[in-house]
Amino acid sequence: MSWAQSLWKQYDPINRIMFPAQGRAASYDVKGKPFVGELQVRDVVYKTIVAHMPVHVPGGMCAPPVRIDVPCMIVLRADLGTVDPNTRRKSNRCRARCTVVYLHGNGTDIGGVAEEAKALSRDLECHVVVPEYPGYGLAGGSANEDSVDAATHAGCRVATECLGTPLERLIVYGRSVGTGPAAAAAARMAAAVAPGALASRGTTRTARRSSSTAAAARRATSFSPARRRRPR
């Protein structure tokens, strides 16, 4: 990439059009309120939390590399388990089929898609991770191609490093402007191990509908999230 291309990519005015909601007041606070909490449906508890993952954003022609903190909303499927009639012991094995990394549209922050993320978790029996775009909500920095790709990487790290999701059970789901970073993330991961599925929902003719996400989730078997795994 030439210096002119690098400079244009960094200060491209199209970024303000592509990401119009950056700089708006966040719909949540530092603790994730009002969308954090628990919901019990029969023997399953869906717990919504907010975690923060630091990521590195590469620099450009006139800007040094920066390290930003990316808030990630996580909807966890936590099975209460059943009591074995023989041993009288309770099994707490998680039956989540997969983890969906959901890249939201450009008109809202992670708080605006909280209910949709919870519905995905319940309907697909999975964990859902929603990373925040830089400049949106409580995330620092500004949204552009590189910084949004870095935020996407943060969401995938939460899924694989913190939740212990194998790549073959990871679904990258992009909506609207999120289809671009979703495709880019899937292409990068495919160099090692391809993710379980790439699904997109947008205005392009080639966009797959959210039913692709449902089909991939139902094909996946359950896995247990890793314990005591911390982001590096």
Side-chain angles (χ1 to χ4, degrees), residues 63-102:
V66 295
R67 190 177 179 87
I68 62 173
D69 189 57
V70 178
C72 295
M73 175 175 62
I74 308 173
V75 184
L76 293 169
R77 176 191 167 94
D79 295 81
L80 295 178
T82 57
V83 177
D84 189 318
N86 297 321
T87 62
R88 300 290 182 180
R89 293 182 178 178
K90 195 173 186 180
S91 172
N92 292 317
R93 190 173 73 88
C94 176
R95 294 193 297 271
R97 295 177 179 272
C98 61
T99 298
V100 175
V101 176
Y102 176 21

Side-chain angles (χ1 to χ4, degrees), residues 14-204:
I14 299 298
N15 289 328
R16 296 300 305 181
I17 300 174
M18 292 293 294
F19 303 100
Q22 58 179 319
R24 294 180 185 174
S27 63
Y28 57 96
D29 62 18
V30 291
K31 295 183 179 180
K33 294 180 180 180
F35 61 76
V36 297
E38 294 184 358
L39 172 66
Q40 183 173 344
V41 181
R42 291 186 290 276
D43 62 340
V44 180
V45 172
Y46 298 92
K47 186 172 183 177
T48 305
I49 62 174
V50 172
H52 295 262
M53 174 68 76
V55 294
H56 176 84
V57 180
M61 183 68 186
C62 300
V66 295
R67 190 177 179 87
I68 62 173
D69 189 57
V70 178
C72 295
M73 175 175 62
I74 308 173
V75 184
L76 293 169
R77 176 191 167 94
D79 295 81
L80 295 178
T82 57
V83 177
D84 189 318
N86 297 321
T87 62
R88 300 290 182 180
R89 293 182 178 178
K90 195 173 186 180
S91 172
N92 292 317
R93 190 173 73 88
C94 176
R95 294 193 297 271
R97 295 177 179 272
C98 61
T99 298
V100 175
V101 176
Y102 176 21
L103 305 173
H104 61 79
N106 59 359
T108 186
D109 58 17
I110 57 177
V113 296
E115 293 306 315
E116 185 178 358
K118 295 174 184 179
L120 277 174
S121 181
R122 293 193 298 270
D123 294 343
L124 306 185
E125 300 180 2
C126 64
H127 305 309
V128 179
V129 178
V130 189
E132 187 68 281
Y133 298 153
Y136 279 65
L138 298 180
S142 59
N144 55 53
E145 181 181 345
D146 290 336
S147 65
V148 172
D149 280 346
T152 302
H153 179 63
C156 293
R157 284 187 60 196
V158 169
T160 56
E161 297 180 17
C162 300
L163 301 183
T165 308
L167 282 179
E168 60 271 17
R169 297 182 189 174
L170 179 67
I171 296 175
V172 186
Y173 172 36
R175 179 170 186 175
S176 182
V177 76
T179 58
R188 285 193 299 269
M189 287 186 284
V193 179
L198 166 65
S200 60
R201 183 179 181 183
T203 57
T204 61

